């Protein structure tokens, strides 16, 4: 009799366990996470699963759309709602490095494939980014908006005034353009405009060269287009140098194949072809182009290559050049040249690769007293920049941002102190330069 | 023998009470924590008192057979009579053993020892009662040290950013424990140290501060499989974020927010910075009455009152730093200026009781005036507005000292008036006016120790002359409500007729009313003056209350501009009631963002803290003001809550803002806000120029600031940077073009609840609003529009089909059979 009871007890236990196993549903999300709980409702029209997630003994009722879910285990049965890619998406995202070097050339075929694949999938933040725009915005997106400038009504002006200045809005901006593209997919002109805008946004805002290239390709951008050399830059950044060169003017070839644009100088410089950059610049000016931007880029290219003396000459040429058609622009370029000239002269010494390892302190005068900065150089890299003593007002921006910038840029060159308009920032920069100069001697 | 037994019984009883209370106190979340604290104090006091009884019994009570002697004065030095057999007390024997003989007086010759000579040089009160002066000095120095050290956080600097481990993928949220399981392809060993706190950060956010998800503790790890325990239960939104965010997470070693000020404060948390404030019983008592709620500092008041049963009014004689400061002032100044002296009796002698009554009456009417008259707030504000600027100026530079306003001047004036009362009589304030002292005087009704005069009194009047508190009547007996047991009289008595013993001791006492004191307990005149005084106090209390209300804050008035209050301040009406103007928050505020209010809100708002962001902004790493507020008028928020508590909203002045007015480019406020981690100000381009084709000219126009109301907490850093550069340094503007404003909808003023919950509720609402216009269309040329994330399911939802119970369906999700 007794074993019989035991058997019944065991069986009952099994049933209970099975019951329990049945009671626990599970959702596996596309993000890779899974959570247990109970599916309480399935809305097949809205494609929404209502789920009581069980977390640490609590139950939290949430609704999840199908498109977030990989699979659901429901009443013991597993349903796959969305297939998961077996390999993570190749996401050629922001590349702060100065581009791939010649040692790791990617075969052009794979670059093409990369562009194709990336362009056809949305960026990984796409789904989490809300579609948000002012209700007053005119989504019909006429080519020439009527009336006065109105950044709450006209899409282009909204992008220009509100989206572009704010990194926080860039993703929403891209989403809006994708939305416009889908809306106007049957209007060839607007479709082309949207795709070209997307190319520009992925290129300028996200440095997402694959998607930029894809959308520019789709928009039919070729070598003679305004954005042509930028598409070339995309190819170069992605590793296809040959394709990039096809979009440029090569000064060493007898016949220029493309129309000359000032941005090409910068690209040649960035690609390491300093001499070509300088030649193109000279050429550009010879055929009647404005010298300011051209020589500024030439100077930058030389500076990038470490040819400081020559770069000083070109910066000086920018400063000496007469004003251009647009005085405002040429003034701006002159002041940039002046700043670069100053930076090369002042901070050439503080090139971190010449600074011996160690910790250096130096001070400079800030707004209300001395600012002491401690710079730690380790294995030829600036490891930390710390304001160790100051009597400044709070100025968080300067006290944290400037050291961060110095570390990011590994030097005081190019750290934007003037726009901050505080003496504190300049004091930190100068003190850092002084400190580094100690180690360079 | 009997006394010994009594002593033992008291010690055991006290020990038992203290032990029980300590056990209750140790039990966390015991609702009787406060009672337990009072019980501990009661037990400890009993133990000490029992100990004194035992000591007295062991030393032999002497001829007066006192149960307890609390004498510590230095007796008048006399040559001993030859015939008396002298057996020195155990204390004297001990001292004689420890100190060299030359330091001590010789009882045979009556020659003063070095110690005595030294004390004598310091002054008669020092000679009579050195212990008291030592305690007073320690207390004053402790007060000043706590004041000037604890609130000096400038040695704290932000820590360098901690290590970051990237590429963590969430695998599972455990159903039973709620723990997170995460994996990483490579294994960062440091990130997996057990029991260490790690901060989950979304690397896709604008910066690490914006991306901070929450704090987790490492439970265990196997290879690169990590289990994390959330420090706080996950919210609904957090859950969604965890489950649906594509991409990986970063684990940070330290929170990306700076926290150095809060850390500095936490390091000093064991130091009771507001010790003297919480033991001022008037402060807690009147606050509790005015707010009609329990105030935790009431327990501290109860503790000090219990202690003062043994040492009646001991607070005034020994502890009160204001009293000691007045003593110093009297010694340095009043002693030399005698022209303002008044008689030792007059209408003012009972003033303190009427001030106390008036204070409590106005507290009943909901107006707190204790901050104006209570002892500790007066000295705190005096130090604050006189000492703190000097401290800041000398140690951090004078430009860091904000200009004073009316509130500061009135407070400084009051401080000097209190000191200057000493010109009338020494310690005039303490004796006759101080309402905190009056509370202790009333507490004296329950005293167990007392000053007694024996019949050997020779009526020499020395004790009356030296008593600092006018506590000795004309017949040399004690005015018990005033005596602080300072024991100076004992030291000057040539016949050692004065003793400090248990209240019931009646041995060999002097005859009372000889010489006659001409004081009656309550005569007709006394009754009249009592009645008149009480009436005056009642009328005064109600009058002050109604006057402050009448000329008060006028909260409902739309024309008055609401003041910006510290982060976590309770609603304005409650704030005005609960704030006791103690000045602790000003003291704690590292950049002096908090300034006292002058008469902007009439009398009702005087000395309450307001945010003045011209000179400094509220540091995101600081929550000091709430932590030091003794009454909870500023809630003691954890740093995470404080960063979500809106104290105001920055408003840009479109007419003066430099880029808005197209004067010159300026991005100070935006940079400052981003650097502080809030990202609450963004740009919009204004005055954009167009070319002939209507296209915008590159770089034309100005980038002008736009405040995002859902992100701005009103810290005022933007105002600070605009003021310092554009107003002060460049002198381009008369006032900051971006100013933090308070008011309905611009600030969170709640008594209870979480600010983070408020923010997250707002975020949910925003998301819900946006959900209507969401689409997932991602058009790819040549393929038509596809809903990309949608599985390529051949089955779409059958909208015409009747709703089915999912369980009965093979295809509950409408995607085709699995």
């Amino acid at each position: 009799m007794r074993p019989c009871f035991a058997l019944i007890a065991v069986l009952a236990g099994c049933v209970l366990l099975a019951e329990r196993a049945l009671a626990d549903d599970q959702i596996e999300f596309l993000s890779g996470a899974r959570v247990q709980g109970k599916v309480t409702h399935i809305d097949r029209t809205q494609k929404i699963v209502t789920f009581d997630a069980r977390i640490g003994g609590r139950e939290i009722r949430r609704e999840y759309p199908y498109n977030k879910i990989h699979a659901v285990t429901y009443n013991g049965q597993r349903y796959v709602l969305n297939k998961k890619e077996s390999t993570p998406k190749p996401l050629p995202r922001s590349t702060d490095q100065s581009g791939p070097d010649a040692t790791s050339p990617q075969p052009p075929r794979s670059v093409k494939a990369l562009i194709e694949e990336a362009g056809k999938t949305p960026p990984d933040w796409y789904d989490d980014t809300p579609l948000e725009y002012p209700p007053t915005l005119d989504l019909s997106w006429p080519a020439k908006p009527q009336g006065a400038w109105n950044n709450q009504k006209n899409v282009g002006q909204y992008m220009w005034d509100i989206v572009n200045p704010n990194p926080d809005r860039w993703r929403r901006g891209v989403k809006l353009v994708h939305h416009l593209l889908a809306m106007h997919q049957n209007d060839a002109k607007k479709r082309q405009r949207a795709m070209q805008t997307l190319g520009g946004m992925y290129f300028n805002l996200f440095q997402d060269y694959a998607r930029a290239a894809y959308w520019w390709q789709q928009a039919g951008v070729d070598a003679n287009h305004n954005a042509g050399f930028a598409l070339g830059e995309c190819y170069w950044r992605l590793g296809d140098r040959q394709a990039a060169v096809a979009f440029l003017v090569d000064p060493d070839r007898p016949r220029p194949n493309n129309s000359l644009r000032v941005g090409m100088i910068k690209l040649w410089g960035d690609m390491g072809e300093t001499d070509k950059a300088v030649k193109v610049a000279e050429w550009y000016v010879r055929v009647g182009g404005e010298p300011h931007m051209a020589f500024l880029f030439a100077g930058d290219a030389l500076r990038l290559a470490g040819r400081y003396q020559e770069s000083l000459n070109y910066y000086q040429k920018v400063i000496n050049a007469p004003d251009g058609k647009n005085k405002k622009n040429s003034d701006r370029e002159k002041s940039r040249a002046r700043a670069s000239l100053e930076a090369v002269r002042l901070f050439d010494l503080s090139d971190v690769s010449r600074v011996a390892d160690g910790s250096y302190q130096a001070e400079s005068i800030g707004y209300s007293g001395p600012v002491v900065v401690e710079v730690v150089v380790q294995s030829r890299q600036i490891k930390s920049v710390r304001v160790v003593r100051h009597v400044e007002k709070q100025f968080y921006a300067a006290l944290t941002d400037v050291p961060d910038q110095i570390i990011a840029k590994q030097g005081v060159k190019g750290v934007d102190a003037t726009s901050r308009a505080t003496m504190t920032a300049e004091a930190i920069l100068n003190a850092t330069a002084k400190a580094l100069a100690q180690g360079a001697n | 023998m009997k006394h010994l037994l009594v002593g033992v019984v008291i010690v055991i009883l006290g020990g038992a009470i203290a032990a029980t209370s300590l056990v209750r106190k140790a039990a966390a979340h015991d609702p009787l924590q406060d009672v337990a604290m009072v019980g501990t104090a009661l037990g400890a006091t009993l133990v000490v008192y029992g100990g004194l009884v035992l000591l007295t019994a062991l030393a032999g009570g002497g001829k007066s057979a006192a149960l307890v002697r609390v004498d510590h004065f230095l007796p008048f030095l006399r040559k001993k009579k030859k015939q008396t057999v002298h057996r020195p007390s155990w204390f004297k024997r001990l001292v004689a053993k420890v100190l060299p003989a030359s330091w001590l007086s010789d009882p045979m010759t009556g020659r003063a020892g070095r110690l005595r000579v030294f004390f004598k040089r310091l002054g008669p009160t020092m000679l009579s009662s050195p212990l008291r002066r030592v305690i007073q000095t320690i207390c004053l120095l402790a007060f000043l040290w706590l004041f000037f050290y604890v609130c000096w956080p400038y040695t704290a600097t932000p820590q360098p950013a901690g290590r970051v481990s990237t590429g963590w993928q969430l695998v599972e949220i455990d159903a039973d424990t709620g723990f997170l399981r995460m994996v990483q392809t490579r294994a960062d060993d440091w990130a997996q140290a057990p029991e260490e706190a790690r901060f989950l950060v979304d690397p896709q956010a604008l910066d690490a501060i914006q991306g901070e998800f929450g704090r987790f503790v490492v439970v265990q790890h196997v290879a690169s499989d990590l289990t994390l325990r959330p420090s706080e239960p996950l919210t609904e939104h957090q859950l969604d974020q965890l489950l649906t965010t594509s991409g990986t997470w970063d684990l940070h070693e330290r929170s990306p927010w700076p926290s150095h000020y809060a850390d500095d404060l936490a390091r000093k948390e064991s130091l009771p910075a507001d010790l003297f404030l919480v033991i001022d019983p008037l402060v807690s008592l009147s606050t509790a009455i005015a707010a009609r709620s329990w105030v935790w500092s009431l327990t501290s008041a109860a503790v000090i009152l219990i202690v003062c049963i043994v040492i009646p009014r001991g607070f005034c004689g020994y502890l009160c730093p204001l009293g000691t400061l007045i003593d110093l002032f009297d010694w340095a100044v009043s002693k030399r200026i005698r022209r303002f002296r008044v008689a030792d009796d007059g209408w003012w002698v009972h003033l303190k009781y009427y001030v106390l009554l008036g204070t409590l009456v106005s507290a009943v009417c909901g107006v707190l005036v204790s901050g104006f008259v209570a002892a500790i707030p007066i000295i705190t504000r005096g130090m604050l507005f006189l000492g703190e600027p000097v401290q800041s100026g000398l140690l951090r530079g004078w430009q860091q000292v904000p200009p004073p306003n009316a509130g500061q001047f009135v407070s400084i004036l009051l401080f000097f008036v209190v000191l200057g009362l000493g010109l009338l009589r020494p310690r005039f304030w303490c004796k006759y006016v101080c309402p905190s002292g009056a509370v202790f005087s009333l507490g004296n009704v329950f005293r167990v120790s007392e000053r007694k005069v024996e019949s050997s009194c020779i009526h020499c009047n020395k004790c009356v002359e030296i008593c600092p508190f006018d506590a000795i009547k004309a017949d040399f007996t004690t005015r018990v409500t005033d005596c602080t047991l300072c024991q100076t009289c004992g030291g000057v008595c040539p016949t050692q007729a004065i003793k400090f013993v248990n209240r019931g001791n009646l041995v060999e006492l002097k005859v009372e009313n000889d010489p006659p004191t001409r004081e009656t307990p309550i005569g007709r005149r006394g009754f009249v003056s009592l009645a008149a005084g009480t009436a005056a106090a009642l009328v005064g209390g109600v009058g002050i209350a109604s006057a402050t209300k009448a000329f008060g804050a006028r909260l409902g008035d739309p024309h008055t501009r609401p003041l910006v209050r510290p982060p976590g301040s309770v609603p304005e009406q409650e704030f005005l009631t609960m704030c006791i103007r103690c000045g602790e928050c000003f003291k704690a505020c590292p950049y002096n963002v908090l300034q006292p209010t002058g008469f902007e809100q009439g009398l009702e708002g005087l000395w309450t803290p307001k945010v003045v962001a011209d000179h400094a902004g509220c540091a995101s790493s600081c929550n000091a003001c709430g932590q030091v507020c003794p009454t909870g008028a500023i809630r003691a928020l954890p740093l995470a809550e404080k960063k979500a508590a809106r104290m105001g909203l920055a408003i840009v002045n479109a007419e003066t803002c430099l880029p808005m007015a197209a004067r010159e480019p300026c991005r100070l406020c935006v940079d400052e806000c981003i650097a502080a981690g809030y990202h609450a100000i963004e740009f919009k381009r204004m005055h954009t120029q167009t070319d002939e084709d209507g296209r915008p000219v590159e770089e034309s126009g100005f980038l002008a600031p736009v405040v995002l109301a859902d992100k701005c907490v009103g810290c005022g850093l933007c105002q600070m940077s605009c003021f310092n550069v554009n107003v002060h340094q460049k002198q381009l503007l008369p006032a900051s073009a971006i100013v933090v404003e308070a008011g309905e909808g611009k600030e969170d003023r709640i008594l209870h609840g979480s600010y983070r919950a408020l923010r997250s509720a707002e975020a949910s609402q925003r998301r819900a609003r946006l959900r209507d216009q969401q689409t997932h269309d991602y058009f790819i040329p040549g393929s038509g529009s596809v809903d990309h994330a949608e599985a390529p399911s051949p089955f779409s939802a059958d909208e015409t089909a009747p709703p089915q119970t999912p369980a009965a369906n093979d295809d509950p999700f409408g995607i085709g059979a699995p």
Side-chain angles (χ1 to χ4, degrees), chain B residues 257-484:
Chain B
W257 283 96
S259 66
H260 49 295
Y261 288 130
D263 293 344
D264 184 74
L265 199 74
R267 236 191 339 272
K268 293 169 178 168
E269 196 168 32
S270 54
L271 297 173
D274 53 354
L275 175 71
F276 290 94
L277 185 75
V278 296
I279 62 173
D280 187 333
L282 179 62
V283 170
S284 40
L285 199 62
S286 53
T287 312
I289 293 175
R292 284 142 182 84
S293 67
W294 176 259
V295 180
W296 67 270
S297 53
L298 274 176
T299 46
S300 317
V303 168
I304 188 75
L305 283 169
I306 287 172
V307 173
C308 283
I309 287 173
V310 181
I311 314 282
R313 247 195 123 174
F315 177 86
C316 308
Y318 292 82
L319 305 181
C320 178
L322 181 63
T324 313
L325 200 69
I326 291 176
D327 269 347
L328 279 173
F329 181 83
D330 289 347
W331 169 77
V333 179
S334 312
K335 203 170 70 180
R336 287 153 232 275
I337 304 170
R338 306 198 70 89
R339 62 159 61 184
F340 303 110
R341 284 292 151 108
V342 293
D344 61 354
D345 62 343
W347 56 267
W348 55 82
V349 291
H350 295 306
L351 194 59
K352 60 174 180 282
Y353 299 110
Y354 306 126
V355 173
L356 173 64
L357 185 62
T359 309
L360 294 183
V361 166
S362 63
V364 170
C365 301
V367 173
L368 261 185
V369 292
S370 56
F372 296 63
V373 287
I376 303 299
I378 286 178
I379 184 172
T380 307
R381 277 197 315 266
M383 287 300 110
L384 190 68
F385 301 141
L386 288 170
E388 205 268 341
V390 176
Q391 185 193 24
S392 276
L394 288 176
L395 296 175
R396 293 175 54 226
W398 293 99
Q399 81 283 352
Q400 308 277 8
V401 182
N405 68 20
Q408 268 132 329
F409 286 127
V410 175
S411 189
I412 291 168
L413 185 71
L414 180 72
F415 179 65
F416 280 122
V417 165
V418 167
L419 287 183
L421 284 176
L423 294 171
L424 304 177
R425 286 190 76 73
R427 280 206 150 190
F428 188 94
W429 166 263
C430 308
K431 281 188 282 200
Y432 305 130
V433 192
C434 178
S436 304
V439 177
F440 287 105
S441 288
L442 294 176
N444 270 11
V445 174
F446 305 101
R447 70 196 176 278
V448 293
S449 322
E450 197 174 284
R451 172 185 174 274
K452 302 266 188 191
V453 186
E454 290 185 348
S455 53
S456 53
C457 170
I458 54 169
H459 300 196
C460 69
N461 208 37
K462 278 188 172 158
C463 55
V464 176
E465 277 163 21
I466 205 162
C467 177
F469 272 84
D470 272 358
I472 303 174
K473 297 182 196 166
D475 66 347
F476 311 112
T477 58
T478 316
R479 201 171 277 140
V480 285
T481 50
D482 290 340
C483 177
T484 68

Side-chain angles (χ1 to χ4, degrees), chain A residues 93 124-125 128 167-168 171 206, chain B residues 200-213 241 245-246 248-250 252 256 677 679 711:
Chain A
R93 287 184 53 198
D124 48 9
W125 41 259
D128 300 327
D168 195 17
R171 289 177 183 175
F206 295 92
Chain B
L200 208 59
V201 172
D202 181 3
Q204 292 197 8
L206 283 176
D207 62 14
I209 286 180
Q210 290 290 299
E212 183 180 39
F213 179 83
Q241 210 185 335
T245 301
S246 47
T248 56
W249 296 87
D250 289 354
H252 283 231
H679 293 264
K711 286 185 174 172

Side-chain angles (χ1 to χ4, degrees), chain B residues 205-268:
Chain B
L206 283 176
D207 62 14
I209 286 180
Q210 290 290 299
E212 183 180 39
F213 179 83
R215 183 179 182 275
F216 292 81
V217 179
V218 177
V219 179
Q220 60 167 18
H221 74 98
V222 183
S224 64
D225 188 334
L226 189 65
T227 310
L228 292 170
R229 179 180 67 233
S231 290
E232 290 170 22
L234 297 173
T235 64
E236 293 177 351
H237 172 55
Q238 278 185 314
L239 183 66
D240 292 354
Q241 210 185 335
L242 272 180
L243 293 175
T244 58
T245 301
S246 47
T248 56
W249 296 87
D250 289 354
L251 282 180
H252 283 231
E253 192 179 13
R254 278 195 270 280
S255 168
W257 283 96
S259 66
H260 49 295
Y261 288 130
D263 293 344
D264 184 74
L265 199 74
R267 236 191 339 272
K268 293 169 178 168

Side-chain angles (χ1 to χ4, degrees), chain A residues 57-353:
Chain A
R58 289 186 303 150
E59 288 208 337
I60 303 178
R61 172 160 299 188
R62 304 304 295 151
E63 290 180 352
Y64 293 111
Y66 282 14
N67 61 21
K68 297 280 179 194
I69 298 173
H70 166 51
V72 182
T73 308
Y74 177 53
N75 287 341
Q77 186 92 18
R78 187 161 180 274
Y79 302 88
V80 175
L81 305 195
N82 290 293
K83 289 235 170 51
K84 227 168 153 180
E85 296 108 20
S86 48
T87 47
K89 279 179 260 178
L91 283 173
R93 287 184 53 198
S94 85
T95 42
D96 283 322
Q97 310 93 321
S98 50
D101 45 82
T103 53
S104 63
Q106 264 188 305
R109 183 105 211 110
S110 86
V111 170
K112 288 249 154 60
L114 187 75
I115 291 171
E116 196 73 8
E117 192 178 348
K120 283 189 173 165
T121 49
D124 48 9
W125 41 259
Y126 190 81
D127 278 344
D128 300 327
T129 305
L131 178 64
E132 192 183 1
Y133 52 85
T136 48
L137 208 62
D138 177 11
L139 292 186
S140 68
W141 204 18
K144 281 238 167 147
Q146 297 300 304
W149 186 270
N150 183 348
N151 59 29
Q152 295 296 300
K153 175 170 164 273
N154 304 316
V155 173
Q157 295 165 6
Y158 171 71
M159 292 288 180
W160 185 265
D161 277 359
I162 311 286
V163 175
N164 288 348
N166 297 302
D168 195 17
R169 288 185 179 268
W170 290 348
R171 289 177 183 175
R172 280 174 282 172
V174 167
K175 183 111 179 182
L176 174 61
V177 180
H178 275 293
H179 179 61
L180 289 168
L181 174 61
M183 267 177 82
H184 300 297
Q185 51 183 283
N186 298 324
D187 180 332
K189 272 199 173 147
K190 283 181 185 166
R191 187 176 67 207
Q192 203 238 2
R193 182 144 45 105
M195 296 194 291
Q196 202 178 322
T197 311
L198 281 174
M201 288 179 99
Y202 280 118
F203 182 83
N204 290 320
L205 306 181
F206 295 92
Q207 289 84 49
D208 185 343
Y209 301 111
R211 289 203 176 82
Y214 176 82
W215 290 110
W216 270 333
Q217 282 174 354
Q218 295 297 330
V221 169
D222 59 12
N224 281 318
H225 192 270
N226 256 334
F229 68 90
L231 179 55
E233 181 171 351
C234 290
Y235 289 129
W236 171 66
R237 296 267 182 203
L238 292 168
D240 191 349
R241 198 181 176 89
Q242 252 182 323
V245 171
F247 283 86
L248 295 178
V249 170
D250 190 338
D252 299 332
R253 274 211 278 177
R255 256 162 45 88
N257 41 347
N258 301 319
S259 50
L260 197 56
R261 296 190 191 279
V262 74
M264 291 174 183
I265 305 166
K266 182 172 167 11
L267 184 51
W268 278 123
D270 287 347
M271 285 167 70
E273 303 274 3
T274 316
D275 291 327
K276 286 191 189 207
V278 175
K279 271 186 200 164
V280 174
E282 294 286 0
W283 193 354
Y284 182 82
V285 176
R286 210 174 324 126
V287 299
E290 284 202 359
H292 310 93
M293 195 69 114
F295 287 154
L296 191 69
F297 283 153
D300 286 345
L302 290 162
R303 192 175 159 199
L304 192 70
R307 291 153 68 174
Y308 295 116
Q309 274 310 319
E310 291 166 76
S311 75
L312 291 181
N313 293 339
Y314 277 94
Y315 289 138
Q316 199 58 53
K317 278 186 186 177
V318 180
I319 298 165
N320 295 343
D323 286 338
K325 264 186 281 178
N326 187 335
K327 186 173 177 324
K328 216 171 166 180
N329 282 359
S330 53
D331 277 353
R332 199 179 64 235
E333 276 124 34
K334 280 183 182 187
S335 72
R336 276 170 67 185
R338 237 173 256 123
S340 299
L341 193 85
E342 193 85 340
V344 172
R345 274 193 190 148
L346 255 186
F347 302 139
D348 187 21
L349 261 185
S350 65
D351 180 2
V352 69
S353 61

Side-chain angles (χ1 to χ4, degrees), chain B residues 368-369 371-372 381 385 405-411 414 548 551-553 563 565 575-576 579-582 586 595-610:
Chain B
L368 261 185
V369 292
F372 296 63
R381 277 197 315 266
F385 301 141
N405 68 20
Q408 268 132 329
F409 286 127
V410 175
S411 189
L414 180 72
T548 31
F551 304 104
L563 296 173
R565 297 298 189 185
F575 184 80
L576 288 170
C579 174
I580 49 170
R581 287 78 159 149
C582 64
F586 306 131
Q595 292 289 308
T597 309
F599 293 99
E600 297 96 314
Q601 287 188 329
L603 216 51
E604 201 175 358
L606 186 63
W607 298 331
T608 51
K610 65 172 179 184

